[in-house]
Amino acid sequence: MDILLDILHTFDYDILLAIATRWRGGLSDTVWTLLTALGNGGAVWIALAVVLLFFRKTRRAGVAILAALVLGLLVGNVWLKEWIMRPRPFVTHADLAALVDPGDPWSFPSGHALSSFAAAAALCYHHRKGAIPAFVLAALIAFSRLYASVHYPSDVLAGALIGVLCGLLAAWLTDRAIDLFHAFRLRKSEK
């Protein structure tokens, strides 16, 4: 098992080093810093959810996105990060410099990737038309974390996978809860 972890760690580091040495600098730093800022605290996804709440046709998607973000926060940031406590790449490797302040000391899983893919999956569950732009933005935000050297590729991949699961589960639970609420309200109004 240790050999597999060593291989994964070497693979993770080699990818980050290649990004840092070949791609970083100039306007590219500004673009990727802005993209990572969109994911701070799930800001872009919260804003999208709030907008969706205003329209009857998209209200379920808005609620599902908010539920997915809360579920992702609990699973990723409150539980997994504190349980695994994997140090950030720039802490472990002196030759990697963080482009942004990550906010917390732990790397696994990527909260930006988790929240972005959770929101995209919840949106996809309700509105397939919005799925492609949402998943593209989620992937760009996730890559920005690699570009900034604040996450390993395995952190981002795990965050994306956990995020999709959280998004689908939250969307399904939201659907069930809203349907139960409507059924209860209909029964109450018939009396």
Side-chain angles (χ1 to χ4, degrees), residues 79-88 105-109:
W79 180 57
L80 284 174
K81 277 192 179 198
E82 297 301 321
W83 179 51
I84 294 173
M85 296 190 304
R86 183 182 194 184
R88 301 250 181 206
W106 309 125
S107 184
F108 185 91

Side-chain angles (χ1 to χ4, degrees), residues 45-67 174 178:
W45 306 111
I46 292 169
L48 174 63
V50 168
V51 169
L52 294 174
L53 290 174
F54 283 107
F55 304 99
R56 186 177 194 75
K57 187 177 179 181
T58 59
R59 196 164 291 145
R60 279 186 191 232
V63 172
I65 289 171
L66 292 174
T174 299
I178 291 173

Side-chain angles (χ1 to χ4, degrees), residues 6 12 44 143 147:
D6 287 343
D12 273 349
V44 70
F143 180 79
Y147 186 91

Side-chain angles (χ1 to χ4, degrees), residues 69-144:
L69 291 172
V70 169
L71 182 59
L73 174 73
L74 294 173
V75 170
N77 288 43
V78 173
W79 180 57
L80 284 174
K81 277 192 179 198
E82 297 301 321
W83 179 51
I84 294 173
M85 296 190 304
R86 183 182 194 184
R88 301 250 181 206
F90 65 89
V91 172
T92 308
H93 303 282
D95 53 345
L96 295 172
L99 190 60
V100 296
D101 177 12
D104 67 65
W106 309 125
S107 184
F108 185 91
S110 167
H112 280 65
L114 199 156
S115 64
S116 295
F117 279 90
L123 179 64
C124 178
Y125 185 91
H126 290 285
H127 295 283
R128 298 231 191 262
K129 287 181 185 176
I132 291 175
F135 278 112
V136 167
L137 181 57
L140 291 171
I141 290 171
F143 180 79
S144 75

